[in-house]
Amino acid sequence: MKKTLWVILGIIVLVIAVSVSVFGGAYNKLVTKEEAVNSAWAQVENVYQRRADLVPNLVETVKGYAAHEKETLQNVVNARSKVGQITASPTIINDPDQLAKFQEAQVQLTSALSRLLVVVEKYPDLKASQNFLALQTQLEGTENRITVERRRFNEAAQDFNAFRRTFPNVVVANAMGFKSKAYFQAAQDARTAPQIKF
């Protein structure tokens, strides 16, 4: 009887140890993958902020050469303002609706900048301005970085979401409050969405 009790106790201890090990391993991996998503999101925010920071200088440079293009310039300023009104908190990556609003504001800014650059074509002196050329180069580089960082974010979010959904990770994730991450989605009119051309 005593030997049976020790065997049962040993089995219970073994089950508890294995459960703690599996739970702990899954939890630690979820934390690591969530931090990778957060890091990727920080880079997305960083490049979008870089673009937003370039806009005032770009508008001022264009205004110096094309002051009567007030409507186009105002559209850029308004679009940048809308981007600034959206709080890009870390919780945004857990809410597809918030991320969609953030993305829509960015698309509007891209569209306004694209129209501004079309207007610039009418002003050869502006196109030859060293200040404008430098800003245009910085904007082009930033747009490329945005594409790269959004792709990296989506990859990190996909890696996290796939890991989160597998068993037993899903049990740990639900118990510990790990939420699925939202993705950047192609806009419904993505095929006709404006791209900034240089």
Side-chain angles (χ1 to χ4, degrees):
M1 180 76 168
K2 199 172 189 182
K3 188 174 182 180
T4 306
L5 184 60
W6 281 109
V7 170
I8 292 172
L9 187 60
I11 291 171
I12 291 171
V13 168
L14 182 62
V15 167
I16 290 172
V18 168
S19 297
V20 167
S21 176
V22 168
F23 184 89
Y27 176 81
N28 290 340
K29 195 75 166 173
L30 282 163
V31 168
T32 301
K33 289 181 179 293
E34 187 171 55
E35 285 305 311
V37 174
N38 291 341
S39 176
W41 175 249
Q43 284 303 109
V44 169
E45 286 183 307
N46 182 37
V47 292
Y48 274 128
Q49 185 60 52
R50 176 178 165 76
R51 178 172 74 171
D53 291 345
L54 288 172
V55 169
N57 293 335
L58 186 64
V59 168
E60 285 304 312
T61 300
V62 172
K63 194 185 293 183
Y65 288 87
H68 62 281
E69 300 287 353
K70 288 182 183 175
E71 183 181 344
T72 304
L73 293 169
Q74 191 59 47
N75 287 341
V76 172
V77 170
N78 291 343
R80 183 185 184 273
S81 177
K82 285 181 183 174
V83 165
Q85 291 170 0
I86 295 176
T87 305
S89 67
T91 61
I92 198 171
I93 61 179
N94 297 326
D95 186 343
D97 292 335
Q98 275 189 320
L99 188 60
K101 287 178 186 172
F102 176 82
Q103 185 176 355
E104 179 57 31
Q106 296 296 343
V107 166
Q108 289 175 5
L109 180 55
T110 299
S111 178
L113 286 169
S114 183
R115 285 190 299 275
L116 177 65
L117 292 175
V118 168
V119 165
V120 165
E121 294 297 318
K122 298 188 235 176
Y123 300 93
D125 291 344
L126 173 58
K127 286 175 54 178
S129 160
Q130 290 302 313
N131 191 25
F132 177 76
L133 290 174
L135 286 168
Q136 187 177 22
T137 300
Q138 290 177 42
L139 187 60
E140 179 180 0
T142 300
E143 291 296 329
N144 291 336
R145 286 188 195 124
I146 287 170
T147 301
V148 168
E149 296 304 338
R150 282 176 46 151
R151 180 183 49 79
R152 287 180 181 163
F153 170 79
N154 277 351
E155 288 170 355
Q158 185 276 331
D159 184 49
F160 175 86
N161 289 341
F163 183 80
R164 184 194 176 283
R165 291 180 57 204
T166 60
F167 184 81
N169 306 332
V170 68
V171 175
V172 175
N174 289 338
M176 301 306 292
F178 288 94
K179 302 207 181 302
S180 292
K181 306 305 177 194
Y183 297 104
F184 278 100
Q185 302 286 335
Q188 288 180 335
D189 58 347
R191 290 179 177 82
T192 59
Q195 298 293 318
I196 296 181
K197 302 290 185 196
F198 300 94

